Amino acid sequence: MEISLREIDVEALDAEQAAAELEALAAELSAHDEAYHTKDAPVVPDGVYDRLKQRNEAIETRFPDLKLADSPSEKVGGKLSSKFEKITHRVAMLSLDNAFNDDDVRDFSARLKRFLKMPAHAVLPLTAEPKIDGLSLALRYEKGELVYAATRGNGQVGENVTSNARTIADVPAKLSGNPPDVIEVRGEVYMTKDDFAELNRAQEEAGKQTYVNPRNTAAGSLRQLDPSITAARPLKFFAYAWGEVSDMPSDTQSGMVKKLAEYGFSTNPLMGRFETIEALLEHYHRIEMERADLAYDIDGVVYKVDDLGLQERLGFVSKSPRWAIAHKFPAELAWTTLLAIDIQVGRTGALSPVARLEPITVGGVVVENATLHNEDYIAGIDSKGQPIRDGKDIRVGDTVQVYRAGDVIPKIADVDLSRRPADSVPYQFPTVCPECGSEAVREEGDSVRRCTGGLICPAQATEKLKHFVSRQAFDIEGLGSKQVEYFYSLPDDDPLHIRTPKDIFTLAERDQAEELRKLRNREGFGETSAANLFAAIEEKRTIPLARLIFALGIRHVGEVVGADLARHFETWDSFVSTIDTAAKEAVAETVVAKERKAVLAASPAWSEIINIDGIGDSVAQALTKTLSQEAERASIDALIAMLTIESPEKIEANSDFAGKTIVFTGSLERMSRDEAKAMALRLGAKAAGSVSSKTDLLVAGPGAGSKLKKAQDFGIETIDEDEWFRRVEGS
């Protein structure tokens, strides 16, 4: 099985592999540079980009003769936009090397001292300041007057954004104090978190697209052809460096930054000067903890040798100064404040706690919410009652650590008890549903508390309807989540309201009986869209049994279970009569668990259900409980009366795939994912959604990612789509 070069450790690469990998990394990093610097729209988190850069540099270190002439390690910034005039920097705007942990910083200090031939115990003062997540800008002043402003560009040549920079309040048109005749002030253009949130609110109210994060928004705002657009954006500027200076007013880094403040620039109050590495690192970790409370986004702390004379002696390495380094924060971790805990009610009645957070950028995305899983997780215990997070509970007002990986929902990983408010109290998980006021109960062995309101609970009703019309269920075109919410929100006296699935299939009839309040006359609809919706609903009156069972939204009954039940019972009547019989035979809801178990064991109908491959006691309980509830059953029966239900296709029990578990991944080109699963089921296979050690075969299309990697790790046979069809035809 072929292994990707990216998966081979650098030390294990041979020269041919290394050359190919360097070519691939150069192309990938170049694309990311253009997305970040030129388009202001990065496509990967900073952590992913940093790991690619580290791999590239590690290969170059091991194979120096293979280093490309246009290596990413020699580049600064991205391609220049053709929209702007160009300005050549008198002094190059270089980038910084990165440190990713405390030991990297200690190594940095040791390297400096070795280069300067200083004893290891000698004092070498360094400055430390937050690394602002914004866009670098150079401002040239002559005789105190702003002459031009330029972006970093490729480090040698930048884009002329003078007219735009003049609209930023933090950029003085004329310097104060007694500045040198010529001074180029450098710093970062950024947008505060509050201003970013307000801008997004305004965009949303205007029906316009919202922005992803403050950094991209600030960069895009500065690089507008129309300065009035820049002027309308709340941009700010921190000064922290300089380029060409006719007469240096100080001989230290910290002294120069103080001078910049005297000239009228905003400088960062968290900048400090430190004489030991341990004090420097303590400052770093203090800033990391305070990161969420800052008004602006940062992604690390920058350290610089304070003595400018020593900076000159140290000089530069390739594209970076030897005397400075950026200590990056972990890309997918951040500390922030827990503002509130909200409870959301799902279609099965589950009460799910959601953390509302002080907005913080994690992995390139602004995070405002995080999952809290369940009441045990909040209390600091697992499902077995054992401590997690060293037993620390989570409370409103806490400083919490948030983590995020890829597209995974953000989670709370830790709590800083030293910053817990003195008046905080343990969170009391609700015992009544916040949506309908019904009792919320937690069954034995269940980690989730659930609302008992059923269809009287509006949260459950709307979520059940959304599930009912979802792609894997009835898949009614033109009736998505927003339309479901609209129809459900209509008052009871509105002829077009939808409360249950049955109402969907009477919508056209009720609309036809109306004179004035027809759907075509309502906002968001018209003659064509209304007619299309009615046609789409009519088309779905005929539905496969498996889809119908899944669409009912019964707890524990997903696509695979729905298909298993449909294959076993074949008809709706057979399915429902067996469930009804099992429910009558298991009237043991009122007896103790031990007696109930005995009753169920003696029930032929119950045994039939749980003996279906893939079906267990929990599914059987969910089926009997749902179909025994009077209101729920009445709703289902009313629906069934309006449908034509198709029996599943017969299984080819003698096929080569019978009994095997198959996973489809990537972009399938000859069939949809649903068609692929249906084909596998027809051949007697089980179509799973994830790869495990029990998977027998992976069918991978273009773009296959983590599932392909996992299959390779397990040694699972992997084929492409063409091979799948060849085997099906020969089966």
Side-chain angles (χ1 to χ4, degrees):
M1 186 177 297
E2 187 177 350
I3 298 177
S4 165
L5 286 177
R6 195 63 50 81
E7 298 174 49
I8 302 175
D9 187 85
V10 171
E11 296 302 315
L13 290 170
D14 59 31
E16 184 178 352
Q17 291 172 325
E21 179 68 345
L22 287 175
E23 290 278 1
L25 284 165
E28 189 170 350
L29 286 165
S30 177
H32 290 324
D33 283 338
E34 182 174 5
Y36 184 90
H37 294 288
T38 307
K39 298 178 180 178
D40 304 314
V43 293
V44 295
D46 289 351
V48 173
Y49 179 85
D50 288 339
R51 287 192 288 274
L52 292 174
K53 288 289 289 283
Q54 286 175 281
R55 181 170 176 83
N56 183 82
E57 289 167 13
I59 296 173
E60 289 180 345
T61 300
R62 184 160 179 259
F63 298 94
D65 294 343
L66 298 179
K67 185 174 180 178
L68 301 173
D70 60 346
S71 166
S73 62
E74 301 294 336
K75 292 181 179 179
V76 176
K79 295 179 181 178
L80 296 170
S81 171
S82 59
K83 298 187 299 182
F84 299 95
E85 294 180 1
K86 307 302 181 286
I87 290 179
T88 301
H89 299 301
R90 308 290 179 91
V91 176
M93 293 184 73
L94 303 180
S95 60
L96 298 175
D97 276 341
N98 293 323
F100 296 98
N101 54 55
D102 292 1
D103 286 341
D104 288 348
V105 179
R106 295 187 182 97
D107 291 343
F108 166 68
S109 175
R111 287 198 306 273
L112 294 177
K113 291 179 180 180
R114 286 196 300 271
F115 187 92
L116 296 169
K117 301 191 182 318
M118 297 173 65
H121 61 272
V123 174
L124 179 61
L126 298 171
T127 63
E129 60 192 302
K131 184 176 182 294
I132 310 300
D133 196 9
L135 181 73
S136 297
L137 183 68
L139 304 164
R140 183 178 177 84
Y141 291 84
E142 296 177 3
K143 302 294 185 183
E145 302 279 350
L146 178 62
V147 177
Y148 65 69
T151 63
R152 181 201 299 273
N154 61 17
Q156 302 295 329
V157 179
E159 298 154 337
N160 186 339
V161 289
T162 308
S163 297
N164 297 5
R166 289 185 186 278
T167 70
I168 302 173
D170 287 344
V171 174
K174 184 174 179 62
L175 300 183
S176 306
N178 186 30
D181 285 348
V182 174
I183 182 169
E184 184 191 277
V185 178
R186 294 177 175 178
E188 206 82 1
V189 175
Y190 68 98
M191 185 178 292
T192 68
K193 299 172 188 175
D194 286 347
D195 286 340
F196 172 73
E198 184 58 38
L199 178 62
N200 263 349
R201 275 193 291 272
Q203 290 288 110
E204 197 168 356
E205 288 174 4
K208 297 179 181 178
Q209 184 176 357
T210 55
Y211 300 105
V212 176
N213 59 47
R215 186 270 164 197
N216 296 353
T217 309
S221 298
L222 182 66
R223 301 170 72 248
Q224 293 287 330
L225 291 178
D226 183 356
S228 67
I229 297 177
T230 306
R233 302 283 170 81
L235 300 181
K236 298 186 183 302
F237 179 77
F238 269 135
Y240 55 72
W242 55 92
E244 182 182 14
V245 182
S246 59
D247 183 21
M248 293 295 291
S250 177
D251 58 3
T252 64
Q253 180 78 27
S254 53
M256 280 295 293
V257 172
K258 288 179 181 176
K259 287 292 183 183
L260 294 179
E262 291 176 13
Y263 300 155
F265 290 98
S266 294
T267 58
N268 200 295
L270 291 177
M271 179 179 179
R273 180 181 181 276
F274 303 91
E275 295 192 347
T276 69
I277 288 299
E278 297 315 311
L280 191 79
L281 291 173
E282 184 180 335
H283 187 61
Y284 166 87
H285 290 296
R286 185 163 55 249
I287 290 176
E288 182 182 23
M289 291 298 296
E290 295 174 355
R291 182 181 178 189
D293 298 327
L294 297 177
Y296 44 84
D297 279 336
I298 61 175
D299 56 7
V301 176
V302 175
Y303 309 132
K304 299 174 184 176
V305 172
D306 192 41
D307 188 311
L308 298 186
L310 293 181
Q311 284 190 15
E312 189 171 353
R313 282 178 57 191
L314 286 161
F316 301 87
V317 180
S318 181
K319 62 181 177 60
S320 306
R322 188 180 276 111
W323 42 265
I325 199 166
H327 189 177
K328 302 290 284 289
F329 293 134
E332 292 154 358
L333 285 173
W335 290 90
T336 189
T337 303
L338 176 60
L339 303 177
I341 297 176
D342 291 348
I343 300 295
Q344 295 180 341
V345 183
R347 66 178 174 83
T348 63
L351 272 59
S352 301
V354 178
R356 303 303 182 193
L357 307 168
E358 185 71 38
I360 185 75
T361 299
V362 187
V365 174
V366 176
V367 172
E368 298 181 75
N369 308 309
T371 180
L372 288 170
H373 301 290
N374 53 50
E375 57 189 290
D376 287 343
Y377 191 82
I378 295 174
I381 57 176
D382 64 15
S383 59
K384 298 178 181 178
Q386 298 301 307
I388 57 175
R389 299 186 304 273
D390 298 323
K392 290 180 283 190
D393 67 331
I394 297 173
R395 304 182 185 184
V396 174
D398 276 345
T399 297
V400 295
Q401 188 181 52
V402 181
Y403 71 95
R404 176 183 175 275
D407 294 325
V408 177
I409 298 170
K411 299 177 178 64
I412 289 179
D414 203 359
V415 179
D416 182 6
L417 294 183
S418 69
R419 303 183 71 184
R420 172 169 281 175
D423 59 350
S424 74
V425 294
Y427 179 74
Q428 296 298 316
F429 205 88
T431 56
V432 297
C433 174
E435 295 287 342
C436 69
S438 299
E439 184 183 6
V441 300
R442 182 174 174 181
E443 296 176 356
E444 184 180 354
D446 195 350
S447 61
V448 175
R449 191 172 292 275
R450 298 177 189 277
C451 167
T452 58
L455 290 175
I456 71 166
C457 179
Q460 289 187 66
T462 52
E463 291 305 313
K464 279 179 176 289
L465 285 168
K466 289 177 185 178
H467 175 78
F468 184 83
V469 301
S470 64
R471 190 170 64 86
Q472 306 300 340
F474 270 70
D475 191 21
I476 299 175
E477 189 173 348
L479 190 60
S481 293
K482 288 184 178 179
Q483 289 81 13
V484 165
E485 289 177 0
Y486 167 75
F487 285 115
Y488 190 88
S489 69
L490 297 176
D492 290 339
D493 62 357
D494 190 302
L496 300 190
H497 73 257
I498 291 177
R499 298 284 184 271
T500 67
K502 175 209 69 171
D503 295 337
I504 294 172
F505 292 95
T506 62
L507 186 65
E509 182 183 342
R510 286 179 282 141
D511 181 81
Q512 192 172 10
E514 276 299 302
E515 291 295 330
L516 299 176
R517 292 190 287 179
K518 286 185 176 293
L519 186 60
R520 69 190 184 203
N521 298 327
R522 305 195 180 205
E523 186 176 355
F525 293 92
E527 186 85 42
T528 301
S529 59
N532 288 343
L533 176 58
F534 296 146
I537 292 172
E538 189 62 30
E539 183 185 342
K540 299 299 180 174
R541 283 187 187 273
T542 299
I543 190 82
L545 178 60
R547 277 184 176 261
L548 170 62
I549 295 173
F550 171 69
L552 296 178
I554 299 170
R555 191 179 169 206
H556 302 308
V557 180
E559 274 187 271
V560 174
V561 170
D564 290 340
L565 290 167
R567 281 201 302 272
H568 177 83
F569 290 108
E570 296 188 349
T571 68
W572 172 261
D573 288 342
S574 174
F575 166 71
V576 80
S577 65
T578 304
I579 302 300
D580 287 345
T581 302
K584 290 174 184 175
E585 292 172 346
V587 185
E589 290 287 348
T590 57
V591 300
V592 296
K594 193 175 292 185
E595 292 174 352
R596 183 170 188 272
K597 190 173 182 180
V599 170
L600 294 178
S603 164
W606 187 274
S607 297
E608 180 182 356
I609 298 168
I610 64 173
N611 285 329
I612 300 171
D613 186 34
I615 308 298
D617 191 74
S618 59
V619 173
Q621 288 188 48
L623 290 169
T624 54
K625 187 173 183 178
T626 299
L627 293 178
S628 297
Q629 290 180 6
E630 189 175 341
E632 192 99 7
R633 181 57 179 270
S635 171
I636 292 172
D637 287 345
L639 168 70
I640 299 303
M642 300 184 171
L643 303 176
T644 299
I645 304 168
E646 296 178 331
S647 296
E649 294 183 53
K650 295 292 183 183
I651 291 176
E652 298 177 25
N654 296 323
S655 83
D656 295 338
F657 300 101
K660 292 187 176 182
T661 299
I662 302 174
V663 174
F664 296 89
T665 187
S667 300
L668 301 179
E669 297 172 331
R670 296 176 59 182
M671 57 183 171
S672 69
R673 191 70 57 87
D674 289 343
E675 289 174 318
K677 289 180 179 179
M679 188 183 297
L681 293 173
R682 190 175 65 249
L683 293 168
K686 181 177 181 179
S690 59
V691 173
S692 71
S693 58
K694 296 181 180 179
T695 303
D696 296 297
L697 180 68
L698 182 83
V699 180
S706 60
K707 290 180 184 177
L708 176 59
K709 172 68 166 59
K710 196 170 183 180
Q712 291 169 342
D713 291 342
F714 279 125
I716 293 166
E717 183 184 9
T718 301
I719 62 174
D720 61 18
E721 197 175 354
D722 290 338
E723 177 61 19
W724 163 256
F725 275 102
R726 279 194 291 271
R727 294 191 185 186
V728 168
E729 290 167 4
S731 177

